[in-house]
Amino acid sequence: LLVILLALAVLYDLRTYIIPNRLIATALVAGLAVSLVLGGIKGLLESFAAAVIPAAVLLALFALRMLGAGDIKLLCSIGAIMGIKFVLYTMAYSFIAGGVLAVALMIFRGNVRFRFRNIGKYLMGCLYTGRLMPYSDFSNKNDGGKFHFSLAIAAGCLINILAN
């Protein structure tokens, strides 16, 4: 189920920059149902908690427009399928993989200096105004600062599986 979810999520994300809600909902319900069948009410509650934790932990990144809602919902469905420990490690590995991917893309796109200048301006703006501001405009896909984070999530899952 995890492999199918990740494959479809990455394919949709690469084509449209969107991970469909019907895919997320299907995986979420399947994860909850399997947990109920295999672990009873306790399994269902653990699966539900594992589905909620990514949303709670990553809400600030969504509010700052540093992470898309589809990516967070994908992690929630992974939590429902695989459990709390797996999703927490996957989140950590995903951010590491995302950082490596971001640096590689900046080098490939030749915009390292521009991207670091941009983050510097953002941080200075936050310091100057004394408040956190949205970092990115998600609607502008061609600003050279975005990539499909579903790739990092898939890599995080793979690293997590190989590490255990």
Side-chain angles (χ1 to χ4, degrees), residues 4 14 19 22 24 26-27 33 52 67 71 75 83 87 94 105 113 115 124 130 139 143 150 162:
I4 293 168
L14 288 174
I19 301 171
R22 67 184 180 279
I24 297 301
T26 302
V52 171
L67 193 61
D71 301 317
L75 286 163
V87 77
S94 296
L105 285 173
R113 191 173 297 149
R115 298 307 320 159
M124 291 303 292
S139 63
D143 69 354
S150 63
L162 293 175

Side-chain angles (χ1 to χ4, degrees), residues 6-48:
L6 289 171
L8 290 174
V10 167
L11 287 173
Y12 276 112
D13 192 23
L14 288 174
R15 285 188 15 218
T16 65
Y17 271 98
I18 293 171
I19 301 171
N21 285 335
R22 67 184 180 279
L23 173 63
I24 297 301
T26 302
L28 188 66
V29 168
L32 293 170
V34 169
S35 296
L36 176 63
V37 169
L38 296 179
I41 295 297
K42 182 181 179 200
L44 175 66
L45 293 175
E46 288 175 359
S47 181
F48 181 77

Side-chain angles (χ1 to χ4, degrees), residues 17-145:
Y17 271 98
I18 293 171
I19 301 171
N21 285 335
R22 67 184 180 279
L23 173 63
I24 297 301
T26 302
L28 188 66
V29 168
L32 293 170
V34 169
S35 296
L36 176 63
V37 169
L38 296 179
I41 295 297
K42 182 181 179 200
L44 175 66
L45 293 175
E46 288 175 359
S47 181
F48 181 77
V52 171
I53 286 172
V57 170
L58 300 174
L59 182 62
L61 293 179
F62 172 73
L64 294 172
R65 296 186 182 187
M66 294 178 171
L67 193 61
D71 301 317
I72 295 171
K73 291 183 284 186
L74 176 59
L75 286 163
C76 290
S77 61
I78 291 168
I81 295 167
M82 300 299 292
I84 293 171
K85 183 178 176 184
F86 186 89
V87 77
L88 289 174
Y89 277 103
T90 293
M91 287 167 50
Y93 291 134
S94 296
F95 281 102
I96 293 167
V100 170
L101 182 59
V103 169
L105 285 173
M106 286 189 295
I107 292 168
F108 177 75
R109 292 173 177 166
N111 65 359
V112 174
R113 191 173 297 149
F114 173 78
R115 298 307 320 159
F116 276 100
R117 221 178 339 207
N118 195 41
I119 191 77
K121 287 179 185 178
Y122 170 77
L123 293 172
M124 291 303 292
C126 290
L127 288 172
Y128 179 74
T129 62
R131 63 185 181 91
L132 292 174
M133 303 175 295
Y135 178 70
S136 179
D137 176 9
F138 279 149
S139 63
N140 183 3
K141 306 296 185 208
N142 299 319
D143 69 354

